[in-house]
Amino acid sequence: MDNGCLCRLQSEMGRNNNNSGQQHNTNSGRLLRNAIKSSPTTATTMTDYQTLHTRLAQVGQEHLLKFWPELTTDERSALERDINELNLNEIKMYFDRATISMNENGIKLDDRLQPIPDDQILSIARTSEDKLNSYREEGLQQISDGRVAVLLMAGGQGTRLGFDQPKGMYDVGLESHKTLFRIQAERILKLGQLAEELTGKRGHIVWYIMTSEHTKQPTLAYFEANNYFGLQEENVLLFEQGSLPCFDYDGRIILDEKHRVSRSPDGNGGIYRAMQVSGILDDMQQRGIRYLHAHSVDNILIKVADPVFIGYCAQEKADCAAKVVEKSAPNEAVGVVAIVDGKYQVVEYSEISAKTAEMRNSDGRLTFSAGNICNHFFTADFLQKIGSTYERELKLHVAKKKIPFVDNAGKRLTPDKPNGIKIEKFVFDVFEFAEKFVAMEVPREEEFSALKNADAAGKDCPSTARADLHRLHRKYIENAGGIVHGDICEIAPSVSYAGENLAHLVEGKSFSSPVYLRDSLQGHL
């Protein structure tokens, strides 16, 4: 990272210090950035109205200034900052590409579709334990050597859960009352210990966390208040997701207020540009990181930096990979990883016909069964390539939405039907740029339980996430020779990352629910 970037980061951290009252240095683990500023003009470089109008008129967006005479000095400054944060050269291109994407919605891909070849997908259930152990040892060696990082997508808030904080801070109601952030942090800590036990060398995993504009400060404060859950502060780096303007159907950017441009987060695919702009790609290079595990925050069963996954991809010399789960039924509304026109991509359920979705192989398994779960592997070199070259080619996904706007009289209104579009990018849309892509099919009950909805939905909610973890941890104890009476069962990550090394604690013993195994049997409730 160049000195200029370090100075900007130091300045950014200084502002955060004013909020937190704590002293930090430039090597701190809090790489916090404002929303992506693609334009080289900064908010402090004020231009006169005519210059601003000329720039906007060149791209057909001069309407953003229509309330200028009515604005206060502070409001004019705020509007100018918003405009300067837009990459005006990209605006028309974004809308044109978004329009093409919208027109392609509903097109079926059946005739262009192929499943993942057998030699490009590893099934955990159908692979020998010896082979899996060799991958695990390879992954732990890479961790010991300091070559592994985690990319966590944690920009979401818990709104649908009735929770007004970042989703990573949510407690699903385990015996430990640990949040998603804490569970994942403790799994990272445990992996460092397992790697040291195997190799004799204590490595560390760098944790890059992408927040959003609304989650960055609460996330930072939460990690600081909890002393980074025992992780080294300099190895936890937060950076902020970017945003894209909202458009009406004619390609004009919508005003959210007289002095504010309407914007929305650019999706989990915004991680690639955000990493480049925030200096994360430079940081990876300086640290010698080679492999990254990327995932969303809301999977309570996530095997963070899974050494089996890392080891498999490293041995296969893959530059990009995905974990998948077998679809539960042909009509399960989940995207599948497949090949379209010779390139890997995630195909949405709506993009294939029922007939294709129901196709089966000779063994009875669905032909297109590789369900996407937002769980990916990248090499650092591949991410550098995406950031420098391919990010600008990512597909744009469009949603027609009810977007609040300011009418001609300057009144802010919320429409009762869709009046414009929001654009976002998806993290998996880089698959097509991979020279070597592989996939790993993992057991759903061991690795995937999403947290999306409140309990009233009865699916992908706190109750199902909690029950899925209880069921898996009970299985770990029973596989190690213990007996569990009842359903409530939790094992702290400090005791076991994925069911290993439990026999000395549980073999021949009987446990009654609720069970909570901490660092010793004294932790059993």
Side-chain angles (χ1 to χ4, degrees):
M1 197 179 304
D2 62 33
N3 291 334
C5 188
L6 277 176
C7 289
R8 290 194 298 276
L9 292 175
Q10 187 174 17
S11 172
E12 186 74 34
M13 291 175 202
R15 287 195 292 276
N16 292 327
N17 292 344
N18 293 335
N19 293 332
S20 66
Q22 297 184 25
Q23 186 67 34
H24 306 303
N25 57 51
T26 56
N27 293 320
S28 161
R30 296 157 309 256
L31 260 171
L32 284 172
R33 297 284 298 190
N34 289 327
I36 295 172
K37 297 175 178 57
S38 300
S39 171
T41 308
T42 66
T44 56
T45 307
M46 295 302 174
T47 59
D48 59 31
Y49 168 84
Q50 192 56 51
T51 303
L52 205 57
H53 186 275
T54 300
R55 287 175 53 210
L56 289 170
Q58 289 172 349
V59 291
Q61 303 293 340
E62 64 271 23
H63 67 282
L64 295 177
L65 298 176
K66 66 182 176 182
F67 298 108
W68 187 270
E70 304 172 26
L71 303 182
T72 66
T73 300
D74 287 346
E75 288 173 338
R76 288 179 179 181
S77 297
L79 178 58
E80 188 167 1
R81 277 195 298 272
D82 277 6
I83 292 170
N84 286 335
E85 288 175 1
L86 300 172
N87 187 328
L88 296 179
N89 294 326
E90 286 186 343
I91 293 300
K92 186 176 186 308
M93 178 268 289
Y94 268 120
F95 181 77
D96 290 346
R97 287 176 56 205
T99 303
I100 293 170
S101 174
M102 232 178 353
N103 292 337
E104 288 178 346
N105 283 349
I107 295 177
K108 301 297 184 184
L109 301 176
D110 301 53
D111 296 338
R112 300 156 55 193
L113 202 61
Q114 292 177 297
I116 305 173
D118 289 344
D119 62 351
Q120 299 296 109
I121 183 166
L122 177 88
S123 168
I124 293 292
R126 294 185 290 277
T127 302
S128 71
E129 194 59 38
D130 286 345
K131 191 66 174 172
L132 295 179
N133 279 333
S134 75
Y135 294 141
R136 185 179 295 107
E137 290 181 4
E138 172 75 26
L140 291 173
Q141 182 65 59
Q142 298 296 341
I143 290 169
S144 280
D145 292 338
R147 294 172 175 170
V148 176
V150 171
L151 272 178
L152 177 64
M153 291 165 273
Q157 292 178 292
T159 309
R160 287 164 66 182
L161 300 167
F163 182 63
D164 63 357
Q165 295 293 322
K167 192 184 284 188
M169 292 166 56
Y170 191 76
D171 167 12
V172 303
L174 299 175
E175 290 299 295
S176 64
H177 291 288
K178 290 176 181 175
T179 64
L180 296 172
F181 277 144
R182 181 169 181 178
I183 291 168
Q184 291 170 31
E186 291 184 3
R187 287 175 184 160
I188 289 174
L189 275 173
K190 183 61 175 180
L191 274 180
Q193 178 187 329
L194 292 174
E196 184 177 21
E197 290 173 1
L198 176 70
T199 67
K201 184 167 64 172
R202 181 76 177 195
H204 60 263
I205 295 168
V206 180
W207 202 8
Y208 298 116
I209 303 175
M210 184 174 77
T211 67
S212 65
E213 176 185 1
H214 301 292
T215 63
K216 68 174 184 179
Q217 287 297 342
T219 300
L220 173 62
Y222 181 66
F223 273 83
E224 287 180 335
N226 288 278
N227 197 29
Y228 291 82
F229 304 104
L231 296 169
Q232 293 178 3
E233 187 178 327
E234 63 269 20
N235 293 330
V236 182
L237 284 80
L238 278 65
F239 65 107
E240 188 181 328
Q241 179 178 8
S243 62
L244 290 172
C246 302
F247 296 90
D248 66 19
Y249 295 132
D250 294 322
R252 298 180 355 140
I253 296 172
I254 294 172
L255 277 174
D256 185 57
E257 298 179 50
K258 291 181 183 180
H259 64 288
R260 297 309 304 262
V261 170
S262 179
R263 297 186 296 191
S264 63
D266 58 0
N268 56 21
I271 198 168
Y272 305 111
R273 178 172 291 198
M275 290 176 72
Q276 182 183 37
V277 172
S278 65
I280 295 295
L281 293 180
D282 292 337
D283 185 80
M284 285 163 33
Q285 197 166 34
Q286 290 180 6
R287 292 174 183 260
I289 289 168
R290 293 187 183 179
Y291 308 114
L292 295 100
H293 181 206
H295 62 87
S296 56
V297 73
D298 56 6
N299 176 9
I300 198 169
L301 300 186
I302 189 74
K303 289 185 175 179
V304 187
D306 177 14
V308 178
F309 192 34
I310 300 290
Y312 167 62
C313 295
Q315 289 192 14
E316 288 291 317
K317 295 181 170 53
D319 50 11
C320 180
K323 278 191 178 185
V324 298
V325 297
E326 187 171 2
K327 283 184 65 173
S328 60
N331 62 350
E332 183 182 8
V334 61
V336 295
V337 181
I339 299 174
V340 179
D341 298 333
K343 296 180 178 179
Y344 283 93
Q345 71 175 63
V346 172
V347 178
E348 298 298 342
Y349 175 68
S350 60
E351 294 178 308
I352 57 177
S353 67
K355 182 179 179 182
T356 297
E358 291 167 1
M359 288 173 56
R360 294 186 181 271
N361 301 332
S362 57
D363 61 1
R365 298 175 66 242
L366 291 172
T367 300
F368 296 100
S369 64
N372 177 54
I373 56 172
C374 194
N375 193 325
H376 311 308
F377 164 93
F378 306 112
T379 64
D381 287 345
F382 180 69
L383 288 176
Q384 293 282 358
K385 210 180 297 183
I386 296 299
S388 63
T389 305
Y390 296 117
E391 193 279 332
R392 291 178 290 278
E393 299 177 27
L394 284 183
K395 294 175 185 174
L396 299 178
H397 300 265
V398 178
K400 295 181 180 180
K401 294 286 187 179
K402 302 172 187 175
I403 303 170
F405 68 99
V406 177
D407 68 9
N408 289 329
K411 185 178 180 182
R412 189 177 191 268
L413 303 175
T414 300
D416 55 8
K417 61 182 180 180
N419 64 317
I421 63 172
K422 292 185 177 182
I423 302 172
E424 61 180 352
K425 307 169 188 177
F426 292 164
V427 65
F428 52 70
D429 281 332
V430 297
F431 291 177
E432 65 174 290
F433 305 117
E435 292 181 21
K436 175 69 180 291
F437 179 92
V438 296
M440 175 180 281
E441 184 185 278
V442 299
R444 185 187 297 240
E445 68 276 9
E446 294 184 10
E447 298 209 28
F448 184 60
S449 180
L451 182 61
K452 305 285 186 187
N453 311 308
D455 271 340
K459 177 184 177 185
D460 296 338
C461 60
S463 291
T464 56
R466 189 169 62 244
D468 288 342
L469 183 137
H470 286 161
R471 193 178 302 113
L472 176 62
H473 286 195
R474 175 177 175 172
K475 177 181 172 183
Y476 286 162
I477 289 176
E478 291 175 343
N479 287 347
I483 298 173
V484 177
H485 300 283
D487 296 326
I488 299 174
C489 185
E490 180 184 356
I491 302 170
S494 58
V495 174
S496 184
Y497 171 81
E500 78 289 334
N501 302 331
L502 286 176
H504 72 286
L505 282 175
V506 305
E507 190 171 17
K509 295 184 174 69
S510 179
F511 302 89
S512 296
S513 174
V515 178
Y516 177 30
L517 291 186
R518 284 178 264 193
D519 291 325
S520 69
L521 286 185
Q522 279 67 45
H524 166 224
L525 298 177

